Amino acid sequence: MKLEIGNFHVDDIKFGDSTEFNDGVLTINKDEALHVVKEDKHITDADIKIVKPGDQVRLVPVKEAIEPRYRMDGGPLFPGVTGALQQAGDGMTMALKGTSVLVVGKHWGGFQDGLIDMAGEGAKYTYFSQLKNIVLVADTDEEFEKREQQKKNKALRWAGMRLAEYIGRTVSNQDPDEIEEYELDPITKRDTDVDDLPGVVLVMQPQTQMEEDGYNALNYGWNANHMLPTFMNPNEVLDGAMISGSFMPCSSKWSTYDFQNFELIKRLYEEHGKTVNFLGVIMSNLNVALEQKERSAQFVANIASNLGAEAAIVAEEGYGNPDADYIACLVALEDAGVKTVGVSNEATGRDGESQPLVSLDPKADALVSTGNVSELIKLPPMDEVIGELEALARDGLSGGWDDDEELGSSVKEDGSIIMENNAMFCGDGISGWSTKTMKEF
């Protein structure tokens, strides 16, 4: 399986008479783009804006991020979701780099939605402040979930994917600036010099805890809550087999953009044949019942052992209840003789003194932290808010609150905010590009 990603570097984005990409400039016909968005009758109001690094703009509630792409065989960008089911990870896909489609609610937010500042102190907390973003800000008639803390956000998320496909078609007949190649030989057919290196698997635990359809990450369009741990070629992940769900405290989230550009996968590819033998990805799940958690952990360890893995990296999307899945998986792998490193955020409280993970075990002795979700952040007003600032306080965003006996509301009268890092969109960068570091005192 060989995946080629043809990269087109976006230097600027603007609106114009036609949607096209020329000499690094992406031009968007807004009326045509909105027509694509409004193909879903549930979209009642929509606009498209362009924001760039350094703009004095705050976006909230942010629901999803997608990289615009085009599959050269004409197939859907997300097989089984935006079109017919087909193999991902093989062939050529064109990608517009340095940009994303951001989906923002015009009014209502929820536990899984977040905030992005494009400038100032807040910009350092999320990777997406570094991108030139095409912002779809819209509302829907999905009244049944308007005031629900957990929202499926289906109409808005699917509109974002259609918009990303529409923009991706601009490069369908052009030569890319560069081509990234991702190819792994079948495990049993690798050269001796590769076989002699330590075999490493990446275990991914996307958010799949909701029993009801519509909230969880999708694997080729299938609710990943229903799956058992599955071996996948890493190319499939990079090429649209996975899309983000709509259930997760937002700083912990893996957006669809994260799956398309999963940095841990790319780094393992860089090391493949040099320091490690990258065996592939075990796509696991996060569960609710203890028996389910233990079953998944055993499946992961069994797959890793039978692949001949000597080491594993386990990456968890989330915290709290999912910590039990995370630690159970680490322990099962260690018990199987697979040396394992975990990557996750932690929830140590506003004072930093609480237990970082809900579940811990002495065998989980190699953990990488991407930061404390409960750290308080104070940010000044921005010149422009896209979406609705009050959503941060009113709608149960995971890092915001309507009233706190000491701090008051997250949203102040002057437009400044105080919130926990929890609400920063994909701010923990668990996929491999956390902006955080540690200092020794």
Side-chain angles (χ1 to χ4, degrees):
M1 187 178 287
K2 180 178 180 179
L3 173 65
E4 294 181 297
I5 299 180
N7 293 332
F8 296 81
H9 296 288
V10 179
D11 298 323
D12 197 12
I13 308 174
K14 63 182 182 180
F15 292 117
D17 294 333
S18 60
T19 299
E20 58 187 8
F21 182 80
N22 289 307
D23 297 325
V25 178
L26 174 63
T27 304
I28 300 171
N29 181 312
K30 184 188 282 194
D31 290 338
E32 282 186 7
L34 286 172
H35 180 74
V36 171
V37 167
K38 293 178 179 178
E39 288 176 7
D40 187 338
K41 64 181 180 180
H42 293 294
I43 304 290
T44 58
D45 188 20
D47 194 10
I48 295 173
K49 296 178 179 287
I50 297 167
V51 298
K52 303 171 185 177
D55 288 350
Q56 293 290 318
V57 174
R58 175 166 291 151
L59 303 100
V60 63
V62 185
K63 300 175 180 292
E64 173 65 297
I66 307 125
E67 184 170 74
R69 291 185 173 187
Y70 178 77
R71 195 181 298 279
M72 289 300 290
D73 62 8
L77 189 53
F78 301 103
V81 179
T82 58
L85 188 63
Q86 69 174 63
Q87 180 69 58
D90 195 34
M92 174 165 272
T93 295
M94 302 300 194
L96 290 158
K97 308 304 290 187
T99 186
S100 81
V101 171
L102 289 180
V103 180
V104 178
K106 186 171 183 179
H107 294 297
W108 303 98
F111 184 67
Q112 65 288 321
D113 300 333
L115 178 144
I116 296 172
D117 274 1
M118 295 300 297
E121 174 72 9
K124 74 180 184 183
Y125 289 99
T126 174
Y127 177 79
F128 292 92
S129 65
Q130 303 173 38
L131 303 179
K132 306 168 191 71
N133 295 299
I134 303 146
V135 182
L136 168 61
V137 55
D139 202 3
T140 78
D141 65 0
E142 295 164 316
E143 298 292 329
F144 68 95
E145 66 175 19
K146 181 174 284 186
R147 293 188 180 275
E148 293 291 327
Q149 189 183 39
Q150 297 293 346
K151 295 176 173 59
K152 298 179 181 179
N153 287 324
K154 181 173 182 180
L156 294 178
R157 292 191 293 135
W158 262 243
M161 286 186 279
R162 290 196 304 276
L163 183 57
E165 285 189 318
Y166 166 77
I167 292 169
R169 287 197 291 271
T170 59
V171 296
S172 61
N173 295 310
Q174 299 189 43
D175 294 326
D177 298 324
E178 64 194 22
I179 297 176
E180 299 175 18
E181 294 185 358
Y182 299 98
E183 185 176 17
L184 292 176
D185 291 330
I187 291 172
T188 59
K189 299 184 182 299
R190 297 185 180 177
D191 294 340
T192 302
D193 56 345
V194 175
D195 273 338
D196 288 342
L197 295 169
V200 178
V201 292
L202 172 63
V203 181
M204 296 174 61
Q205 294 181 312
Q207 184 52 241
T208 58
Q209 285 185 285
M210 297 294 279
E211 301 290 342
E212 184 179 340
D213 285 345
Y215 295 99
N216 296 314
L218 298 181
N219 188 336
Y220 283 103
W222 192 35
N223 180 355
N225 174 266
H226 301 157
M227 62 179 273
L228 288 168
T230 301
F231 179 70
M232 296 181 69
N233 188 295
N235 294 3
E236 296 175 272
V237 181
L238 298 177
D239 195 34
M242 300 292 301
I243 71 164
S244 175
S246 189
F247 171 66
M248 191 67 261
C250 201
S251 70
S252 306
K253 184 187 289 289
W254 291 341
S255 68
T256 298
Y257 184 100
D258 287 286
F259 282 118
Q260 293 173 297
N261 294 277
F262 215 81
E263 285 297 304
L264 283 173
I265 290 176
K266 291 187 175 185
R267 183 57 191 273
L268 284 166
Y269 256 116
E270 288 179 12
E271 296 299 321
H272 178 66
K274 300 175 183 176
T275 62
V276 302
N277 177 9
F278 183 22
L279 301 174
V281 168
I282 301 174
M283 190 63 64
S284 187
N285 49 2
L286 297 171
N287 303 281
V288 177
L290 181 59
E291 180 182 344
Q292 296 170 341
K293 297 173 186 291
E294 292 173 344
R295 181 183 297 113
S296 288
Q298 290 303 317
F299 265 86
V300 168
N302 188 40
I303 294 171
S305 295
N306 281 282
L307 290 172
E310 298 167 71
I313 300 170
V314 180
E316 168 198 21
E317 184 188 9
Y319 65 91
N321 186 294
D323 291 344
D325 303 76
Y326 176 59
I327 296 299
C329 189
L330 287 161
V331 170
L333 285 162
E334 287 284 344
D335 285 345
V338 181
K339 295 183 182 298
T340 306
V341 174
V343 182
S344 75
N345 54 23
E346 54 186 290
T348 57
R350 293 178 183 177
D351 59 4
E353 296 183 0
S354 298
Q355 179 171 308
L357 300 173
V358 167
S359 177
L360 289 169
D361 190 283
K363 293 176 182 176
D365 58 1
L367 301 177
V368 176
S369 170
T370 61
N372 176 19
V373 302
S374 307
E375 181 182 352
L376 284 174
I377 301 170
K378 297 180 181 180
L379 298 173
M382 280 287 175
D383 292 347
E384 180 183 2
V385 173
I386 295 178
E388 186 175 35
L389 184 58
E390 186 56 34
L392 174 65
R394 181 193 64 215
D395 297 339
L397 271 67
S398 49
W401 55 86
D402 186 47
D403 188 40
D404 181 280
E405 60 182 25
E406 294 184 7
L407 301 173
S409 172
S410 282
V411 179
K412 308 304 180 183
E413 290 185 3
D414 65 353
S416 63
I417 59 174
I418 182 170
M419 66 180 215
E420 292 182 355
N421 172 63
N422 238 332
M424 196 61 68
F425 184 75
C426 300
D428 296 325
I430 300 168
S431 59
W433 46 34
S434 176
T435 59
K436 300 167 188 172
T437 187
M438 298 179 68
K439 294 182 180 180
E440 184 174 347
F441 294 93

